[in-house]
Amino acid sequence: MRKRPLLSIAVLLLAACAGGSNQPTGGASPSGPIKIGLLTSLTGNYAPLGTNDKLAAQQMVDSLNAKGGINGRKIDLLIEDDQSNPQQTVISYQKLIDEGVVAIEGPPQSTAELALKPIVAQKKIPDVSVGASDDQVIPVEPYMFQTTPLASQVASACLKQMQALKFTKLAMLTDTKNAYANKGHDVTKTLVSKYGVTIIDDETFETSQTNFAPQIAKIVAMKPDIVLVWATGGPPVNITKQWGDAKTGIPLMMTAAEASPLYIKPSEPQVEGVYVQATLAVLGPNVPSGNKYKKLMDDFGTQFQQANGTWPPQFAWDSMLAMTFIFDAIKRKGATPGQIQAGLESISVDTPQGHYSYARDKHFGMPNSSNLMAVVQNGQLVPTPESQADLGGAGSGASSQSG
């Protein structure tokens, strides 16, 4: 039986957070700096995600402050490492609240986000999530928002590519301790028939596993057309290397969580030919100049590349959007938590990932058309022929839940 991540962490630790003030004042002074929190994973399994969150958020804050801030007020970015541990996430979240932040970005993984969801509802400090489980924002929690593609959107993009390749037999390998992976797995099961795909093997593992030989043997014996891996952080690197070493001849597919050099480089050379779901801005260097959002990609991406030696990966773009939306909300509505919440619920912004819009009943916004597919070639993410054909106008569609 497949086990889901336990969300009781929030229930157990809710009391520990109850003593903090619901409406901090430190960042809301009409003349002082505006305190924004970055709750991310700089150590542990999800450090590849959190490292890019931090780089992008800091770039956004430094750029804004260099221009004078918002209405003359600088942004003070307070950063907390949750060590890739949902229990520590709750502790670090409370520390940011105690320090007077008026909004928070993060954390970067869904298991921790879901642990925070009831606490966010209590504290009423806007949280712009860079995790990707649909359950973070569906049903709506008034103070929690999401910049990433939904797991359901990722699943649809993967299945669309399988259909284009005329693959009909699918095997899945899923991390049972990761909420994003579980959601993506479950949604995939509900969508496969729409794309003419049948799941012929369904294997699971836990985040701490490092030897995947048993699952690989079972999958190979079933002879699927392709293997879809639902996981985040370290396990996909081990899976990719072991899959390549096994020389199965069966293609491997990863989700948007692996659209990063921090997955590709450690997985070389076995990563060559692996399919990776990637969003519009991640593929920015391959996007033609006629794309409506190309300039926005280049404005942020070129600066990021100059500073860090690589084009921004998925989690850098997710973080960039989180800061974009928080800044926009403050500019339009004000810098108290309630004003920022109102501003986030009325977001309507062109971004490098397409046009985002939020509403009171919809706190996610990536357009379906911004969810594409790439393949690793010479250590780089290259759009598949099907996605390359979409890049001229990708990202222009209205955002909606995929399915």
Side-chain angles (χ1 to χ4, degrees):
M1 179 180 296
R2 304 178 71 253
K3 296 181 180 179
R4 295 179 177 276
L6 296 177
L7 300 182
S8 58
I9 298 165
V11 177
L12 293 174
L13 296 176
L14 203 54
C17 293
S21 169
N22 284 350
Q23 295 289 343
T25 58
S29 168
S31 58
I34 302 169
K35 294 183 180 180
I36 296 174
L38 175 63
L39 178 54
T40 194
S41 301
L42 300 176
T43 55
N45 182 61
Y46 300 111
L49 287 57
T51 299
N52 284 297
D53 286 347
K54 179 183 177 181
L55 291 173
Q58 193 67 63
Q59 178 177 318
M60 291 292 291
V61 169
D62 290 348
S63 179
L64 183 69
N65 284 341
K67 298 173 184 176
I70 300 175
N71 298 324
R73 299 176 64 186
K74 298 295 182 70
I75 300 297
D76 187 2
L77 184 66
L78 307 182
I79 302 173
E80 286 291 327
D81 175 17
D82 72 359
Q83 303 167 26
S84 302
N85 183 337
Q87 291 187 356
Q88 182 61 42
T89 301
V90 177
I91 295 169
S92 297
Y93 174 87
Q94 182 59 37
K95 184 176 179 181
L96 289 171
I97 299 296
D98 291 343
E99 290 177 341
V101 299
V102 292
I104 292 174
E105 174 198 324
Q109 55 104 359
S110 299
T111 308
E113 283 284 359
L114 291 172
L116 281 183
K117 191 171 182 178
I119 304 174
V120 171
Q122 180 200 40
K123 294 298 179 180
K124 295 181 169 54
I125 305 298
D127 176 79
V128 184
S129 162
V130 288
S133 173
D134 301 39
D135 297 333
Q136 294 165 206
V137 288
I138 303 172
V140 165
E141 157 44 49
Y143 281 81
M144 184 171 279
F145 300 80
Q146 186 166 314
T147 67
T148 60
L150 301 174
S152 57
Q153 291 177 302
V154 174
S156 292
C158 291
L159 289 166
K160 180 180 177 182
Q161 182 64 48
M162 293 177 206
Q163 184 181 55
L165 294 169
K166 302 187 185 307
F167 289 164
T168 60
K169 296 182 294 183
L170 170 65
M172 286 199 288
L173 182 56
T174 304
D175 182 350
T176 61
K177 296 298 183 182
N178 182 292
Y180 159 73
N182 275 284
K183 188 66 178 183
H185 166 275
D186 292 349
V187 174
T188 302
K189 289 180 68 175
T190 69
L191 293 177
V192 286
S193 61
K194 174 181 175 181
Y195 293 89
V197 173
T198 300
I199 299 170
I200 63 169
D201 192 32
D202 198 357
E203 302 293 332
T204 63
F205 66 95
E206 294 188 3
T207 309
S208 58
Q209 184 173 336
T210 57
N211 179 10
F212 295 91
Q215 288 94 334
I216 290 173
K218 291 179 182 178
I219 292 170
V220 171
M222 295 301 296
K223 299 181 180 179
D225 293 325
I226 194 166
V227 181
L228 174 59
V229 178
W230 284 102
T232 301
V237 173
N238 288 327
I239 292 168
T240 300
K241 292 180 77 68
Q242 292 170 35
W243 187 262
D245 288 343
K247 301 187 185 303
T248 67
I250 302 168
L252 198 61
M253 181 178 284
M254 296 287 171
T255 71
E258 282 68 63
S260 168
L262 295 179
Y263 157 70
I264 294 172
K265 290 188 181 301
S267 303
E268 292 177 335
Q270 295 91 334
V271 74
E272 287 293 308
V274 172
Y275 290 96
V276 180
Q277 198 274 316
T279 55
L280 176 63
V282 174
L283 300 176
N286 298 282
V287 174
S289 58
N291 185 287
K292 178 179 179 180
Y293 306 105
K294 174 66 171 175
K295 184 178 185 304
L296 295 174
M297 296 176 214
D298 289 345
D299 287 347
F300 178 82
T302 301
Q303 183 180 348
F304 186 97
Q305 188 168 35
Q306 289 171 347
N308 303 296
T310 184
W311 185 259
Q314 183 67 54
F315 280 87
W317 289 112
D318 299 338
S319 179
M320 179 268 186
L321 292 181
M323 287 297 159
T324 296
F325 298 156
I326 292 171
F327 296 166
D328 180 76
I330 293 170
K331 289 174 184 176
R332 289 186 295 106
K333 297 291 186 179
T336 69
Q339 290 168 334
I340 295 170
Q341 193 272 347
L344 289 169
E345 283 197 336
S346 54
I347 285 290
S348 181
V349 180
D350 281 348
T351 81
Q353 295 280 44
H355 184 82
Y356 269 70
S357 61
Y358 293 152
R360 182 169 296 182
D361 61 351
K362 185 173 77 71
H363 285 192
F364 61 92
M366 181 173 285
N368 291 333
S369 54
S370 290
N371 286 280
L372 303 163
M373 185 63 64
V375 63
V376 180
Q377 294 180 359
N378 298 318
Q380 302 295 320
L381 288 173
V382 177
T384 63
E386 296 78 15
S387 290
Q388 185 66 56
D390 292 335
L391 284 175
S396 61
S399 61
S400 63
Q401 185 180 1
S402 178

